[in-house]
Amino acid sequence: MKKLFLTPALLALSLIASAQNKATINADEGKYVISKHIYGHFAEHLGRCIYDGFYVGENNAKIPNKNGVRLDVVAALKKMKIPNLRWPGGCFADTYHWKDGIGPKAKRPKIVNTWWGGVTEDNSFGTHDFLNMCELLGTEPYLAGNVGSGTVQELSDWVQYVNFEKDSPMSSLRQQNGRAQPWNVRYWGVANEAWGCGGNMKPDYYADVYRRYSTFMNTRVGNGRIFRIASGASDNDYNWTETLMKNIPANLMEGLAMHHYSVLSWGDGKKGSATEFTDQEYFKTMQQALLMDELIEKHSAIMDKYDPEKKIALIVDEWGGWYNVEPGTNPGFLYQQNTMRDAVLAGATLNIFHKHCERVRMANLAQAINVLQAVILTKGDKMLLTPTYHVLEMYNVHQDATMLPVSVKSDDFTLGSEKLPAVSVSASRDKAGKVHVSLVNIDPAKPQEISVDLKGLKASAITGRILTSANVHDHNTFENLNKVKPVAFNGAKVNGNTLTVSLPPVSVVVLEL
């Protein structure tokens, strides 16, 4: 298996940094805000994400917790500034009946999680547990409703249960179960992947189903309105987006979802190793990650036909790298490691989301803990932060900042006759007036020097952090928690209106000007 090591020949070549990379930051043209919700996360009843991830049980005396929720996880996610959390799925959402997860835990019915590993789900982590955990995290909940095997009444009741403050059957039931005040949940998914595990529906049929469910959801929440998100397309299924935009009235839909994973192949065992990947597998993963730009552009163009004012948001509520599970683990648990490949994948994807922030106003990385491109891995009482975690923590300076338009001319990262842009750049200005620039070099062997023209901006000082490592396969383990971690970066300088940055191979940099 060929790996991407810096051989002497590659090292010699890498010393000749490119001078062709150029970018312009138009600091005087910022109009659109990068919604903090682009940095959302996803927690499904899948493998060890909820149980043994977020939740270790109220009676656990070994792992510090509050009401069963790990406190080390809470602290890490709060530092990362998690803005929203999607639950309970995923495919699990369309088999989940929320009333099974309320009331005394000893009386809650057990079900079989048919989608993920065939394990028994005891419903010990339910609506109260999740929404109280969101309050502990300081994050907004995003609830995915059951359309595939549920009913209109069931979803309508769930909205009333968590949001209605006055006297009603569902608010009375909530109070009986120990919660006086509503949680005021704003974000609601109306089915998940209706084209697949959510019911294998055709788009015309789902559009009608959505209209019916959405009609009976009480739109009032606190002093505002709920935000209803339709189950959107997979990858380049543009017909799905067209059909829903054409057939669902704008007053019934605030957001339309889209899912895209960076995956080599959907065949079992053909997704490649999370850590022992070849040059070709690395290149294809990056190719799939950068495809996000084209997908967003084309789905947005369709949405523009029916919604030129961009009132309906494009919600990329599942994205990330998907590989084979780690050897010896349950294939249905989707547990995978996380390397520098995932770090640059995350950075490049977030830069794409920033670019399209006028339409893309929420996204959810799959998933938060122990599943797919996780930001946290746990093992007993141990917890580690992945390279992906560090990228999202570094990038949180962009949350709710004004996007500054950037044009980039990048050198190529090549493999054989194929090529990709090696460098991506994004910039924003926060409410305090500070400008942040995020740069990614996906080339695993060559450093890249980039010259950035700062239009409408005079920088008096510059600081930064970098995430990189000697090898693209490097990752953190429970034996070496900090092999990959951010450090101070001194490879940037400003001369007048020109910013020059020297990016090592496979690196993510965030600068403050």
Side-chain angles (χ1 to χ4, degrees):
M1 180 177 287
K2 186 180 179 184
K3 295 184 181 179
L4 292 166
F5 291 106
L6 285 178
T7 63
L10 282 173
L11 187 59
L13 179 64
S14 72
L15 295 176
I16 308 172
S18 169
Q20 299 302 310
N21 297 299
K22 296 182 184 298
T24 300
I25 296 175
N26 297 289
D28 52 355
E29 295 182 12
K31 291 192 293 184
Y32 306 112
V33 171
I34 299 169
S35 171
K36 67 179 181 179
H37 290 294
I38 282 172
Y39 287 80
H41 289 266
F42 178 22
E44 185 167 9
H45 285 242
L46 193 174
R48 295 171 48 245
C49 185
I50 297 295
Y51 302 110
D52 200 31
F54 278 101
Y55 182 75
V56 293
E58 292 90 335
N59 299 320
N60 193 312
K62 185 178 181 183
I63 301 174
N65 68 85
K66 182 173 183 179
N67 298 324
V69 176
R70 290 184 68 133
L71 291 178
D72 53 358
V73 163
V74 170
L77 292 177
K78 289 182 77 170
K79 182 181 179 183
M80 194 180 68
K81 296 185 180 178
I82 177 174
N84 69 74
L85 187 60
R86 182 175 179 240
W87 177 87
C91 293
F92 182 79
D94 283 289
T95 61
Y96 182 68
H97 299 281
W98 68 271
K99 289 180 182 177
D100 290 348
I102 60 173
K105 297 196 176 188
K107 295 183 179 180
R108 296 180 187 179
K110 293 180 173 62
I111 63 171
V112 176
N113 189 335
T114 54
W115 286 110
W116 306 118
V119 296
T120 299
E121 163 65 58
D122 67 3
N123 281 305
S124 60
F125 189 87
T127 296
H128 288 250
D129 308 277
F130 175 71
L131 296 179
N132 291 342
M133 183 179 77
C134 286
E135 290 184 334
L136 188 62
L137 287 166
T139 194
E140 286 203 57
Y142 168 11
L143 295 180
N146 181 349
V147 171
S149 68
T151 65
V152 173
Q153 181 74 54
E154 184 179 16
L155 182 54
S156 177
D157 283 351
W158 203 13
V159 175
Q160 186 182 110
Y161 185 87
V162 303
N163 282 353
F164 196 67
E165 59 183 339
K166 298 179 181 179
D167 186 41
S168 77
M170 290 300 105
S171 57
S172 296
L173 180 59
R174 180 190 70 236
Q175 291 161 7
Q176 291 171 27
N177 287 326
R179 175 78 182 198
Q181 296 300 314
W183 289 278
N184 291 330
V185 176
R186 184 180 178 215
Y187 295 103
W188 292 85
V190 184
N192 167 76
E193 296 188 352
W195 42 263
C197 63
N200 285 301
M201 302 180 201
K202 295 179 180 178
D204 293 270
Y205 178 78
Y206 172 69
D208 286 343
V209 169
Y210 175 90
R211 291 167 63 129
R212 188 158 57 95
Y213 274 76
S214 182
T215 297
F216 293 97
M217 297 172 73
N218 185 346
T219 58
R220 181 176 170 272
V221 54
N223 294 321
R225 290 172 57 86
I226 64 172
F227 194 100
R228 295 158 296 183
I229 301 167
S231 173
S234 171
D235 304 291
N236 61 353
D237 186 353
Y238 303 116
N239 178 58
W240 187 277
T241 296
E242 181 96 39
T243 303
L244 267 56
M245 290 298 298
K246 182 168 59 178
N247 293 324
I248 298 175
N251 68 322
L252 291 178
M253 176 172 65
E254 286 72 38
L256 176 60
M258 189 266 282
H259 292 176
H260 173 62
Y261 286 98
S262 299
V263 63
L264 299 177
S265 169
W266 285 112
D268 290 339
K270 296 181 180 179
K271 299 179 182 70
S273 168
T275 56
E276 299 296 321
F277 44 87
T278 65
D279 295 33
Q280 290 77 15
E281 290 171 334
Y282 175 80
F283 188 92
K284 186 172 181 182
T285 302
M286 290 300 104
Q287 199 171 42
Q288 287 296 306
L290 297 183
L291 180 62
M292 182 71 81
D293 190 36
E294 176 186 320
L295 295 173
I296 291 174
E297 284 185 354
K298 291 185 176 181
H299 283 290
S300 296
I302 295 167
M303 296 176 75
D304 287 346
K305 288 168 54 180
Y306 302 93
D307 176 33
E309 296 180 0
K310 294 181 169 59
K311 293 181 178 179
I312 298 171
L314 180 60
I315 311 293
V316 188
D317 55 10
E318 290 189 30
W319 68 273
W322 191 321
Y323 318 118
N324 292 338
V325 300
E326 292 303 304
T329 64
N330 188 324
F333 281 12
L334 306 187
Y335 177 79
Q336 64 189 41
Q337 252 293 355
N338 198 289
T339 69
M340 276 303 304
R341 170 174 65 170
D342 299 284
V344 294
L345 187 160
T349 302
L350 291 168
N351 286 347
I352 292 169
F353 290 158
H354 295 173
K355 173 184 172 183
H356 296 286
C357 66
E358 186 183 7
R359 179 66 81 177
V360 178
R361 300 199 285 276
M362 179 187 281
N364 300 81
L365 176 64
Q367 292 191 20
I369 306 178
N370 294 328
V371 173
L372 298 177
Q373 191 174 339
V375 293
I376 292 173
L377 302 179
T378 64
K379 182 181 180 182
D381 61 349
K382 295 181 180 179
M383 178 193 79
L384 71 78
L385 307 178
T386 68
T388 299
Y389 172 93
H390 292 306
V391 172
L392 271 80
E393 187 275 325
M394 291 166 64
Y395 268 54
N396 68 28
V397 292
H398 292 296
Q399 291 187 16
D400 284 342
T402 300
M403 185 270 289
L404 304 179
V406 179
S407 61
V408 183
K409 179 185 177 184
S410 171
D411 274 2
D412 294 328
F413 161 42
T414 61
L415 185 71
S417 61
E418 295 188 284
K419 61 184 180 181
L420 294 170
V423 176
S424 73
V425 184
S426 184
S428 69
R429 178 184 279 112
D430 67 17
K431 293 174 183 176
K434 294 177 181 177
V435 170
H436 296 97
V437 183
S438 50
L439 307 98
V440 179
N441 177 15
I442 66 170
D443 196 315
K446 290 176 61 178
Q448 303 286 336
E449 183 171 285
I450 183 167
S451 175
V452 184
D453 182 16
L454 305 174
K455 282 195 172 181
L457 172 65
K458 291 187 180 298
S460 58
I462 184 168
T463 58
R465 288 194 293 164
I466 183 171
L467 187 74
T468 190
S469 198
N471 192 290
V472 70
H473 301 88
D474 286 347
H475 55 282
N476 295 330
T477 66
F478 292 103
E479 294 71 40
N480 189 353
L481 296 174
N482 295 306
K483 184 175 181 65
V484 180
K485 65 177 182 179
V487 296
F489 179 66
N490 56 13
K493 59 183 179 181
V494 175
N495 184 3
N497 286 75
T498 301
L499 168 68
T500 304
V501 187
S502 298
L503 299 170
V506 67
S507 60
V508 180
V509 168
V510 177
L511 303 174
E512 181 175 289
L513 306 181

